[in-house]
Amino acid sequence: MLTNLEHLGLAVNDLEAATALYTALLGVAPYKQEHVASEAVDTVFFRVGGSKIELLAGTSPDSAITKFLAKKPEGIHHVAFEVDDIRAEMARLKGEGFILLNEAPKRGADNKLVCFVHPKSAGGVLVELCQTITD
């Protein structure tokens, strides 16, 4: 079950400039910066009430973020929802006919297991499922 809007992921070309912009806009400094080597992406996270904003910048030409920004302007890349049991939610969504971009959850940023739902099956929106890793 989807339990909460976890974060909005924003694709940016210049992570340093975007971090400065969002620090000024939100009035708070980011709480975390992280490199996710498996996705070739650098991330910066801000807390906004009970949700978060994730800034994403590609670190290689093969990064999904770099490819996204080659086709579209900076802005919303994905919407992420928190789930209690990512494997059960993946099975439920697959049973409902949604297309998952990965068959098993993988480690993502901010201590999460993640899975993405293809935008073609989700009204044009890339949806991320997130479950906090408790180990």
Side-chain angles (χ1 to χ4, degrees):
M1 173 168 51
L2 305 178
T3 61
N4 188 39
L5 174 65
E6 215 284 332
H7 69 267
L8 289 178
L10 307 178
V12 301
N13 288 307
D14 182 334
L15 192 59
E16 187 175 323
T19 299
L21 179 120
Y22 279 89
T23 297
L25 177 70
L26 301 172
V28 296
Y31 74 90
K32 186 176 201 174
Q33 297 182 8
E34 184 176 349
H35 175 70
V36 183
S38 63
E39 300 298 318
V41 69
D42 285 334
T43 66
V44 172
F45 283 91
F46 292 88
R47 291 193 194 281
V48 182
S51 296
K52 299 177 225 168
I53 299 290
E54 177 188 26
L55 304 179
L56 303 122
T59 59
S60 82
D62 295 333
S63 165
I65 298 301
T66 303
K67 291 176 182 178
F68 176 87
L69 288 169
K71 297 179 206 167
K72 299 181 181 181
E74 292 183 307
I76 295 176
H77 177 261
H78 66 270
V79 60
F81 294 98
E82 188 174 342
V83 298
D84 291 327
D85 183 340
I86 196 166
R87 287 172 179 82
E89 192 60 21
M90 289 171 69
R92 184 186 76 79
L93 291 174
K94 198 169 185 178
E96 292 286 344
F98 290 91
I99 301 165
L100 304 181
L101 292 178
N102 40 304
E103 290 298 315
K106 58 185 178 177
R107 184 175 283 272
D110 204 25
N111 195 40
K112 305 286 184 198
L113 286 176
V114 302
C115 173
F116 287 90
V117 178
H118 199 293
K120 287 181 183 177
S121 66
V125 177
L126 180 63
V127 174
E128 180 181 14
L129 308 176
C130 299
Q131 179 184 329
T132 301
I133 298 170
T134 57
D135 305 331

